Each structure stands twice: as structure tokens, then as C-alpha cells.
């Protein structure tokens, strides 16, 4: 087989390994409230194809998620700018992460967290990234991510405990209602 065909086959095989994560990117974009999650995933894959040499071989997920995250944020900025160009139309708040499959208490508690805290938790919980891989996807050091994750977990736990305490003790209810 000629060397150029061998090289092309190796590149195609390498991209097939990367392309196997298309579903992850689509789910990531959907859970981050993208208006068109499949388009975000497709554009991330197009970028991965053009920059295949930059995609890490050991675990391409952090690189792909960082790319999808940038695309989601850019789409939100473009959408907000387009709305501002229309007279009298205020841009809507960016959509929250879609947490439809979660327990209602957890969904409400997650919604109270900052975007930064929520992203740290979701990268580990939903995207199944290690703290080091999640840090790489955000472009921060693993130590900084571990601190961010620890604080986010603590804030989430506080919110969940506060909600439980509120539902367990409701002054509107009295034992005489039985």
C-alpha cells in the first residue's frame, strides 16, 4: 500500500476514535441549554477534524468538551447580540443546564448554584471526567479545579440540607390536622 494511502487510513482511524464521542458532545450541549445541540456537536467535530493533531490521543473528551463549551458560549453571545440589535428586545437570561432527569430537590438546588459551581459538578457527574480531565476542559490547573469542585459540592450539600430542613419543618402544618 502506498505511504499516502497508509497515512490517510491512519488519519481516518484516528478521527473515528474521536468521532465516537459525538453523542457525548450532543448530550453536553443539550444539558447546557444549547439552542441546537446537534449543530454544536457537529461543529465541534468539524473543528476536531481540522485540528486533529491538537486533539489528545489518550483522552480526547476534555479537548472536545472545551471546544463544545466555547461553541455554546459563542452561540449565546451571538444570540444575545442579535436580540439587542432588535429595538426594545432585552436578551433573555442564558438557559440553565437541562436537569430534567434529576430529582426535583436536586434540580432546584443545582439551579441555585453559580454557573461555575454547576459546571464543575456536571463535568464530573454527567460527563464522567476525572478532576484532572475536567480541569483540562476548562483550561485551569487540576489543583484549582479540585478546589472549585470541593466548594461546589459543599454549596450543593448546603442547599440540599436547607431544602430538607425547610420541608421537614413547615410551620403551616400542625399535628392537629390529622
Amino acid at each position: 500500500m502506498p505511504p499516502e494511502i497508509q497515512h490517510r487510513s491512519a488519519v481516518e482511524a484516528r478521527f473515528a476514535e474521536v468521532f465516537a464521542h459525538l453523542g457525548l458532545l450532543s448530550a453536553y450541549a443539550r444539558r447546557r441549554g444549547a439552542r441546537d445541540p446537534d449543530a454544536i456537536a457537529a461543529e465541534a467535530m468539524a473543528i476536531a477534524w481540522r485540528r486533529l493533531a491538537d486533539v489528545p490521543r489518550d483522552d480526547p473528551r476534555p479537548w472536545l468538551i472545551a471546544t463544545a463549551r466555547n461553541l455554546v458560549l459563542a452561540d449565546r453571545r451571538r444570540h444575545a447580540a442579535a436580540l439587542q440589535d432588535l429595538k426594545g428586545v432585552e436578551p433573555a437570561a442564558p438557559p440553565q443546564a437541562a436537569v430534567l432527569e434529576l430529582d426535583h430537590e436536586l434540580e432546584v438546588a443545582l439551579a441555585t448554584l453559580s454557573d461555575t459551581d454547576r459546571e464543575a459538578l456536571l463535568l464530573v457527574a454527567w460527563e464522567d471526567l476525572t478532576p484532572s480531565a475536567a480541569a483540562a476542559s476548562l483550561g485551569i490547573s487540576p489543583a484549582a479545579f479540585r478546589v472549585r469542585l470541593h466548594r461546589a459540592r459543599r454549596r450543593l450539600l448546603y442547599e440540599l440540607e436547607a431544602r430538607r430542613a425547610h420541608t421537614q419543618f413547615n410551620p403551616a402544618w400542625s399535628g392537629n390536622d390529622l
Side-chain angles (χ1 to χ4, degrees), residues 91-173:
Q96 296 280 333
V99 289
L100 303 175
E101 303 107 25
L102 295 180
D103 174 75
H104 179 70
E105 294 292 321
L106 181 56
E107 183 176 352
V108 171
L110 271 173
T112 66
L113 299 178
S114 70
D115 290 341
T116 304
D117 285 348
R118 194 170 33 257
E119 184 71 6
L121 291 167
L122 298 182
L123 283 172
V124 172
W126 274 348
E127 277 37 271
D128 198 28
L129 297 181
T130 65
S132 294
S137 75
L138 294 175
I140 62 176
S141 73
F145 182 81
R146 284 187 188 90
V147 169
R148 185 180 291 183
L149 181 61
H150 173 74
R151 290 178 179 163
R153 284 176 174 161
R154 197 173 60 210
R155 288 180 186 119
L156 180 63
L157 182 60
Y158 173 81
E159 287 295 328
L160 287 170
E161 288 174 350
R163 296 204 165 284
R164 278 193 209 115
H166 178 72
T167 57
Q168 287 176 353
F169 177 73
N170 186 345
W173 180 82

Side-chain angles (χ1 to χ4, degrees), residues 68-87:
R69 181 174 186 265
N70 290 336
L71 291 169
V72 168
L73 294 174
D75 184 59
R76 286 182 187 166
R77 285 190 301 272
R78 277 191 305 275
H79 184 67
L83 287 177
Q84 284 182 338
D85 287 345
L86 299 172
K87 290 183 179 180

